[in-house]
Amino acid sequence: MLAYIFWHQPWGEIESGDYEQRLAGFHETLAAADLEGFHGSSTFRVEGARWLVSGSRGYEDWYLLEGSYAMDPLNEFAVSGGRKDPHDRVAGASTNGAGGLYRLRSGLCNVIEASRATWLTKPRGTGYEEFYAGIKPWTDNPETSLWRRQMVLGPAPEFCVLASDNIEFPEGLEPISVERTRVWPPTGPTHYS
């Protein structure tokens, strides 16, 4: 499973309630999508994401894909037909957009119910297998998912651990704990297929 993650913030004096309504409206139009390889989207209000340009508050969208082959059709679909106006309404109210492509490395795809994301940096000189073995005590839980960046498209760290509770990682991993509040979907499955 891949996740295209997109961070953004409201532009200027746009009220967060209005912005969230626009976001929900756009994601709702995507929910009806019957695109091969697209497994749904969700959006969260986030607090603590240091890479957001004007502070640590903003929004984080997750678009779940079976593989990278699903990106182009989703990109076209998102800005056409009945989705064009909802997309344009939120895009016109957004600023400071940045993204990344992440692959699910372990655990269940718990994107919707995870209220906490902890972003980690692999220490220099540490191999990937050593890194995975070192964090296993914190990630060896089916309710915790580990995501690894596949493509650098923005400033977020290489690894993301999603969980329902805050996890205290060693300082050497430069953990950044981000609180997530679901904006959309209002209800839904606890795990994506």
Side-chain angles (χ1 to χ4, degrees):
M1 178 74 65
L2 290 177
Y4 171 65
I5 306 172
F6 181 66
W7 295 275
H8 48 94
Q9 294 170 293
W11 179 79
E13 300 298 317
I14 294 179
E15 299 280 329
S16 60
D18 177 38
Y19 192 68
E20 289 179 12
Q21 284 182 343
R22 294 177 192 213
L23 273 172
F26 171 63
H27 283 273
E28 188 173 347
T29 67
L30 290 181
D34 185 20
L35 294 171
E36 183 182 356
F38 175 57
H39 291 273
S41 68
S42 50
T43 187
F44 304 86
R45 184 179 334 108
V46 294
E47 180 75 44
R50 296 181 202 159
W51 52 90
L52 289 170
V53 175
S54 58
S56 65
R57 299 184 77 185
Y59 293 86
E60 179 180 278
D61 299 347
W62 286 65
Y63 301 89
L64 295 174
L65 310 165
E66 193 171 300
S68 58
Y69 71 88
M71 290 179 71
D72 285 340
L74 176 61
N75 190 45
E76 256 183 62
F77 184 80
V79 295
S80 63
R83 292 143 320 270
K84 183 180 182 343
D85 287 343
H87 173 273
D88 292 352
R89 278 195 293 276
V90 74
S94 298
T95 190
N96 302 329
L101 187 63
Y102 288 77
R103 180 175 303 282
L104 180 62
R105 172 82 169 101
S106 66
L108 295 175
C109 188
N110 62 341
V111 172
I112 291 178
E113 71 274 7
S115 59
R116 183 72 59 179
T118 304
W119 297 84
L120 305 173
T121 301
K122 180 177 70 64
R124 286 191 183 278
T126 302
Y128 284 99
E129 291 312 312
E130 179 185 352
F131 174 76
Y132 295 135
I135 64 170
K136 192 171 182 174
W138 294 278
T139 60
D140 194 18
N141 174 343
E143 297 303 315
T144 299
S145 63
L146 172 63
W147 298 79
R148 178 181 171 192
R149 186 175 59 209
Q150 302 297 291
M151 228 178 220
V152 180
L153 303 172
E158 184 176 9
F159 294 93
C160 176
V161 177
L162 294 179
S164 294
D165 298 315
N166 190 30
I167 300 174
E168 297 291 331
F169 284 95
E171 285 302 312
L173 301 176
E174 302 175 35
I176 300 170
S177 182
V178 175
E179 184 179 336
R180 306 164 81 230
T181 303
R182 185 183 346 172
V183 173
W184 199 90
T187 61
T190 57
H191 298 286
Y192 288 102
S193 57

